[in-house]
Amino acid sequence: MSNSTDTRISVSDASVIFPIYGSKSFKNIAIRRATKLFNKPLGGRINIDTVTNNVYIEALNKISIEINHGERVGLVGHNGSGKSTLLRMLAGTYPPVTGSVEVVGKIAPFLELSLGVEPDVNGYEAIYLRGLMLGLSSKTIMDKTSEIAEFSELGAFLDMPIRTYSSGMVMRLSFAISTIVNPDILLMDEWISVGDQGFQQKAGKRLNELVERSKILVIASHSIDLLKSLCTRIIRLENGQVIEDNPNFIS
Protein backbone atom coordinates (compact mmCIF):
# COMPACT_ATOMS: atom_id res chain seq x y z
CA MET A 1 0.00 0.00 0.00
CA SER A 2 1.50 3.29 -1.13
CA ASN A 3 2.26 6.02 1.39
CA SER A 4 2.18 8.74 -1.26
CA THR A 5 -0.67 10.98 -2.33
CA ASP A 6 -0.45 9.75 -5.93
CA THR A 7 -3.47 7.44 -5.64
CA ARG A 8 -5.84 8.29 -8.47
CA ILE A 9 -8.23 7.00 -11.12
CA SER A 10 -8.18 8.36 -14.66
CA VAL A 11 -10.81 7.27 -17.20
CA SER A 12 -10.68 8.75 -20.70
CA ASP A 13 -13.37 8.16 -23.37
CA ALA A 14 -13.86 4.59 -22.13
CA SER A 15 -16.67 2.43 -23.54
CA VAL A 16 -17.85 -1.06 -22.59
CA ILE A 17 -20.11 -3.11 -24.84
CA PHE A 18 -21.81 -6.47 -24.43
CA PRO A 19 -22.60 -8.32 -27.68
CA ILE A 20 -25.91 -10.18 -27.74
CA TYR A 21 -25.17 -13.34 -29.69
CA GLY A 22 -27.87 -14.84 -31.86
CA SER A 23 -29.72 -11.54 -31.71
CA LYS A 24 -30.65 -10.90 -35.34
CA SER A 25 -34.29 -11.69 -34.69
CA PHE A 26 -37.14 -9.30 -35.33
CA LYS A 27 -37.83 -9.27 -31.57
CA ASN A 28 -34.44 -7.77 -30.73
CA ILE A 29 -34.69 -5.19 -33.49
CA ALA A 30 -38.14 -4.26 -32.21
CA ILE A 31 -36.74 -3.80 -28.70
CA ARG A 32 -34.08 -1.46 -30.05
CA ARG A 33 -36.63 0.60 -31.97
CA ALA A 34 -38.98 0.75 -29.00
CA THR A 35 -36.12 1.94 -26.79
CA LYS A 36 -35.38 4.78 -29.19
CA LEU A 37 -39.08 5.57 -29.72
CA PHE A 38 -39.98 5.97 -26.08
CA ASN A 39 -36.53 7.25 -25.03
CA LYS A 40 -36.58 5.05 -21.95
CA PRO A 41 -33.39 4.34 -19.94
CA LEU A 42 -33.47 0.53 -20.16
CA GLY A 43 -29.88 -0.15 -19.18
CA GLY A 44 -27.39 1.08 -21.75
CA ARG A 45 -27.96 1.78 -25.42
CA ILE A 46 -29.14 -1.07 -27.61
CA ASN A 47 -27.50 -0.83 -31.05
CA ILE A 48 -26.98 -2.86 -34.20
CA ASP A 49 -23.61 -3.25 -35.89
CA THR A 50 -24.29 -2.11 -39.46
CA VAL A 51 -21.63 -4.49 -40.81
CA THR A 52 -22.55 -7.73 -39.01
CA ASN A 53 -26.15 -6.81 -38.14
CA ASN A 54 -25.51 -8.12 -34.60
CA VAL A 55 -27.17 -6.47 -31.63
CA TYR A 56 -25.03 -5.16 -28.77
CA ILE A 57 -25.57 -3.18 -25.58
CA GLU A 58 -23.36 -0.15 -25.06
CA ALA A 59 -23.19 -0.33 -21.26
CA LEU A 60 -20.76 2.60 -21.00
CA ASN A 61 -20.38 5.23 -23.70
CA LYS A 62 -17.20 7.32 -23.77
CA ILE A 63 -16.92 7.86 -20.03
CA SER A 64 -14.28 10.35 -18.84
CA ILE A 65 -13.69 10.72 -15.09
CA GLU A 66 -10.80 11.88 -12.90
CA ILE A 67 -10.83 10.81 -9.23
CA ASN A 68 -8.00 11.93 -6.97
CA HIS A 69 -6.54 11.09 -3.57
CA GLY A 70 -8.95 11.76 -0.73
CA GLU A 71 -12.14 11.81 -2.79
CA ARG A 72 -15.30 9.97 -1.75
CA VAL A 73 -17.41 9.47 -4.86
CA GLY A 74 -21.01 8.26 -5.01
CA LEU A 75 -22.47 6.78 -8.19
CA VAL A 76 -26.21 7.25 -8.70
CA GLY A 77 -28.66 6.35 -11.45
CA HIS A 78 -31.48 3.97 -12.24
CA ASN A 79 -30.96 0.23 -12.50
CA GLY A 80 -28.99 -0.45 -15.67
CA SER A 81 -27.59 3.07 -15.92
CA GLY A 82 -24.01 1.77 -15.85
CA LYS A 83 -23.02 2.10 -12.18
CA SER A 84 -22.03 -1.54 -11.65
CA THR A 85 -20.40 -1.75 -15.07
CA LEU A 86 -18.30 1.32 -14.25
CA LEU A 87 -17.19 -0.21 -10.96
CA ARG A 88 -16.23 -3.45 -12.69
CA MET A 89 -14.34 -1.55 -15.36
CA LEU A 90 -12.38 0.26 -12.65
CA ALA A 91 -11.70 -3.10 -10.98
CA GLY A 92 -10.37 -4.51 -14.26
CA THR A 93 -13.15 -7.07 -14.73
CA TYR A 94 -14.56 -5.36 -17.84
CA PRO A 95 -11.80 -3.93 -20.05
CA PRO A 96 -12.92 -0.95 -22.15
CA VAL A 97 -13.26 -1.53 -25.90
CA THR A 98 -12.32 2.09 -26.54
CA GLY A 99 -10.50 4.72 -24.49
CA SER A 100 -8.37 4.00 -21.44
CA VAL A 101 -8.50 3.38 -17.71
CA GLU A 102 -5.53 4.16 -15.49
CA VAL A 103 -5.58 3.25 -11.80
CA VAL A 104 -2.75 4.15 -9.44
CA GLY A 105 -3.07 2.37 -6.10
CA LYS A 106 -4.12 -0.98 -4.68
CA ILE A 107 -7.79 -1.76 -5.34
CA ALA A 108 -10.22 -3.67 -3.13
CA PRO A 109 -13.39 -4.38 -5.15
CA PHE A 110 -16.33 -5.15 -2.84
CA LEU A 111 -18.41 -6.36 -5.77
CA GLU A 112 -18.54 -10.16 -5.54
CA LEU A 113 -17.73 -11.07 -1.95
CA SER A 114 -18.40 -14.78 -2.34
CA LEU A 115 -16.01 -15.23 -5.28
CA GLY A 116 -13.69 -18.10 -4.38
CA VAL A 117 -16.02 -19.46 -1.71
CA GLU A 118 -16.76 -22.76 -3.47
CA PRO A 119 -19.31 -25.24 -2.04
CA ASP A 120 -16.92 -28.20 -1.74
CA VAL A 121 -14.14 -26.46 0.20
CA ASN A 122 -14.26 -25.92 3.94
CA GLY A 123 -14.18 -22.53 5.66
CA TYR A 124 -10.41 -22.44 6.15
CA GLU A 125 -9.80 -23.38 2.53
CA ALA A 126 -12.23 -20.66 1.46
CA ILE A 127 -10.25 -18.14 3.49
CA TYR A 128 -7.08 -19.12 1.67
CA LEU A 129 -8.62 -19.11 -1.83
CA ARG A 130 -10.47 -15.83 -1.36
CA GLY A 131 -7.34 -14.29 0.14
CA LEU A 132 -5.33 -15.22 -2.95
CA MET A 133 -8.00 -13.64 -5.16
CA LEU A 134 -7.68 -10.45 -3.12
CA GLY A 135 -3.96 -10.40 -3.91
CA LEU A 136 -2.74 -11.40 -0.45
CA SER A 137 0.38 -13.50 -0.05
CA SER A 138 0.18 -16.99 1.45
CA LYS A 139 2.00 -15.76 4.55
CA THR A 140 -0.39 -12.85 5.04
CA ILE A 141 -3.37 -15.16 4.69
CA MET A 142 -1.95 -17.59 7.26
CA ASP A 143 -1.19 -14.73 9.63
CA LYS A 144 -4.72 -13.35 9.30
CA THR A 145 -6.65 -16.64 9.38
CA SER A 146 -7.25 -16.62 13.15
CA GLU A 147 -8.50 -13.03 13.03
CA ILE A 148 -10.83 -13.84 10.13
CA ALA A 149 -12.13 -16.96 11.87
CA GLU A 150 -12.81 -15.07 15.10
CA PHE A 151 -14.60 -12.23 13.33
CA SER A 152 -16.82 -14.62 11.34
CA GLU A 153 -18.06 -16.28 14.56
CA LEU A 154 -18.48 -19.56 12.66
CA GLY A 155 -16.46 -21.68 15.08
CA ALA A 156 -16.41 -25.39 14.26
CA PHE A 157 -18.31 -24.77 11.01
CA LEU A 158 -15.02 -23.59 9.50
CA ASP A 159 -14.00 -27.25 9.31
CA MET A 160 -17.18 -28.08 7.39
CA PRO A 161 -17.83 -27.79 3.61
CA ILE A 162 -19.33 -24.49 2.50
CA ARG A 163 -22.32 -26.39 1.06
CA THR A 164 -23.46 -27.02 4.65
CA TYR A 165 -23.60 -23.27 5.40
CA SER A 166 -26.67 -21.08 5.23
CA SER A 167 -26.49 -18.11 2.86
CA GLY A 168 -26.04 -15.84 5.88
CA MET A 169 -23.06 -17.87 7.09
CA VAL A 170 -21.46 -17.69 3.64
CA MET A 171 -21.85 -13.91 3.62
CA ARG A 172 -20.39 -13.57 7.11
CA LEU A 173 -17.33 -15.58 6.12
CA SER A 174 -16.97 -13.72 2.81
CA PHE A 175 -17.24 -10.38 4.60
CA ALA A 176 -14.69 -11.35 7.24
CA ILE A 177 -12.19 -12.36 4.56
CA SER A 178 -12.76 -9.38 2.25
CA THR A 179 -12.44 -6.72 4.95
CA ILE A 180 -9.03 -7.92 6.09
CA VAL A 181 -7.35 -5.95 3.29
CA ASN A 182 -5.94 -2.42 3.48
CA PRO A 183 -6.72 -0.91 0.08
CA ASP A 184 -5.81 2.43 -1.43
CA ILE A 185 -9.00 2.37 -3.51
CA LEU A 186 -12.26 0.91 -2.24
CA LEU A 187 -14.97 0.03 -4.79
CA MET A 188 -18.43 -0.83 -3.45
CA ASP A 189 -21.72 -1.75 -5.10
CA GLU A 190 -24.13 -0.70 -2.32
CA TRP A 191 -23.30 -0.73 1.39
CA ILE A 192 -22.77 -4.24 2.70
CA SER A 193 -25.08 -5.44 5.48
CA VAL A 194 -24.71 -9.06 6.64
CA GLY A 195 -25.84 -11.24 9.51
CA ASP A 196 -28.14 -10.60 12.46
CA GLN A 197 -28.37 -7.27 14.26
CA GLY A 198 -25.37 -7.92 16.49
CA PHE A 199 -23.16 -8.98 13.61
CA GLN A 200 -24.41 -6.08 11.47
CA GLN A 201 -23.21 -3.60 14.08
CA LYS A 202 -19.79 -5.22 14.20
CA ALA A 203 -19.62 -5.44 10.41
CA GLY A 204 -20.70 -1.80 10.04
CA LYS A 205 -17.95 -0.67 12.40
CA ARG A 206 -15.31 -2.61 10.47
CA LEU A 207 -16.59 -1.33 7.13
CA ASN A 208 -16.49 2.28 8.34
CA GLU A 209 -12.91 1.77 9.50
CA LEU A 210 -12.03 0.37 6.08
CA VAL A 211 -13.59 3.38 4.36
CA GLU A 212 -11.66 5.76 6.62
CA ARG A 213 -8.36 4.02 5.83
CA SER A 214 -8.91 4.04 2.08
CA LYS A 215 -7.51 6.89 0.00
CA ILE A 216 -10.33 6.80 -2.57
CA LEU A 217 -13.88 5.49 -2.18
CA VAL A 218 -16.22 4.86 -5.11
CA ILE A 219 -19.63 3.53 -4.07
CA ALA A 220 -22.81 2.95 -6.07
CA SER A 221 -26.08 3.27 -4.18
CA HIS A 222 -29.75 4.19 -4.54
CA SER A 223 -29.69 5.71 -1.04
CA ILE A 224 -28.97 9.44 -1.16
CA ASP A 225 -28.89 9.53 2.66
CA LEU A 226 -26.12 6.93 2.67
CA LEU A 227 -24.14 8.83 0.04
CA LYS A 228 -24.57 12.09 1.97
CA SER A 229 -23.02 10.39 5.00
CA LEU A 230 -20.04 9.05 3.04
CA CYS A 231 -19.36 11.09 -0.08
CA THR A 232 -18.06 14.49 -1.11
CA ARG A 233 -18.87 14.09 -4.82
CA ILE A 234 -21.73 12.60 -6.82
CA ILE A 235 -21.60 11.24 -10.38
CA ARG A 236 -24.96 10.54 -12.00
CA LEU A 237 -25.17 8.03 -14.86
CA GLU A 238 -27.87 7.48 -17.44
CA ASN A 239 -27.76 5.15 -20.44
CA GLY A 240 -24.08 4.52 -19.81
CA GLN A 241 -23.11 8.18 -19.84
CA VAL A 242 -22.21 10.75 -17.19
CA ILE A 243 -25.02 13.31 -17.10
CA GLU A 244 -23.96 15.05 -13.86
CA ASP A 245 -20.70 15.35 -11.92
CA ASN A 246 -21.13 17.34 -8.73
CA PRO A 247 -17.74 17.82 -7.03
CA ASN A 248 -19.28 19.91 -4.24
CA PHE A 249 -21.71 17.35 -2.86
CA ILE A 250 -22.24 18.40 0.76
CA SER A 251 -22.53 15.62 3.32
Side-chain angles (χ1 to χ4, degrees):
M1 186 171 175
S2 172
N3 292 319
S4 71
T5 58
D6 291 336
T7 305
R8 60 186 171 82
I9 297 170
S10 180
V11 180
S12 178
D13 289 326
S15 298
V16 172
I17 66 170
F18 300 119
I20 310 300
Y21 296 105
S23 57
K24 296 180 182 179
S25 67
F26 174 81
K27 178 181 178 181
N28 282 286
I29 295 173
I31 290 172
R32 173 177 177 265
R33 290 177 176 171
T35 302
K36 293 180 68 175
L37 177 63
F38 296 106
N39 195 30
K40 290 187 179 295
L42 299 177
R45 298 173 183 270
I46 302 174
N47 294 303
I48 295 180
D49 188 311
T50 56
V51 176
T52 64
N53 206 32
N54 286 325
V55 177
Y56 65 91
I57 296 175
E58 195 171 37
L60 294 178
N61 180 24
K62 296 183 178 179
I63 295 281
S64 292
I65 299 171
E66 298 287 335
I67 303 175
N68 297 308
H69 178 97
E71 288 198 275
R72 302 293 189 250
V73 178
L75 304 179
V76 297
H78 58 79
N79 289 334
S81 62
K83 303 186 302 296
S84 296
T85 302
L86 176 55
L87 288 171
R88 282 163 173 76
M89 184 179 71
L90 297 180
T93 305
Y94 297 158
V97 295
T98 65
S100 63
V101 177
E102 182 183 7
V103 177
V104 179
K106 180 182 177 182
I107 291 180
F110 277 64
L111 308 177
E112 298 178 30
L113 293 191
S114 59
L115 189 65
V117 183
E118 301 295 333
D120 291 328
V121 304
N122 66 31
Y124 288 110
E125 291 168 334
I127 291 172
Y128 186 79
L129 292 173
R130 176 64 180 165
L132 291 178
M133 289 183 177
L134 291 171
L136 302 177
S137 67
S138 295
K139 183 180 185 306
T140 299
I141 298 169
M142 298 303 292
D143 291 343
K144 295 289 187 179
T145 293
S146 294
E147 180 182 344
I148 294 169
E150 181 179 355
F151 189 90
S152 74
E153 299 178 355
L154 292 176
F157 274 99
L158 290 170
D159 290 308
M160 304 293 291
I162 297 296
R163 65 174 180 271
T164 65
Y165 291 20
S166 67
S167 59
M169 292 167 68
V170 172
M171 287 305 298
R172 280 164 58 177
L173 178 59
S174 300
F175 181 90
I177 302 168
S178 298
T179 53
I180 207 68
V181 298
N182 285 299
D184 295 314
I185 300 169
L186 187 60
L187 306 177
M188 296 180 62
D189 200 348
E190 288 292 354
W191 189 257
I192 303 166
S193 181
V194 295
D196 56 24
Q197 185 174 359
F199 192 85
Q200 284 180 17
Q201 291 177 349
K202 183 171 73 167
K205 182 175 183 293
R206 174 176 274 202
L207 205 52
N208 277 306
E209 291 171 350
L210 190 63
V211 168
E212 290 175 4
R213 292 198 306 269
S214 66
K215 297 177 181 179
I216 289 176
L217 168 69
V218 185
I219 178 172
S221 179
H222 292 288
S223 172
I224 295 298
D225 288 339
L226 171 66
L227 297 182
K228 283 183 176 180
S229 70
L230 293 173
C231 300
T232 58
R233 175 182 172 189
I234 287 293
I235 294 176
R236 186 178 300 276
L237 298 171
E238 185 174 301
N239 284 333
Q241 295 180 305
V242 174
I243 62 169
E244 178 187 357
D245 189 345
N246 183 354
N248 298 308
F249 187 69
I250 301 175
S251 58

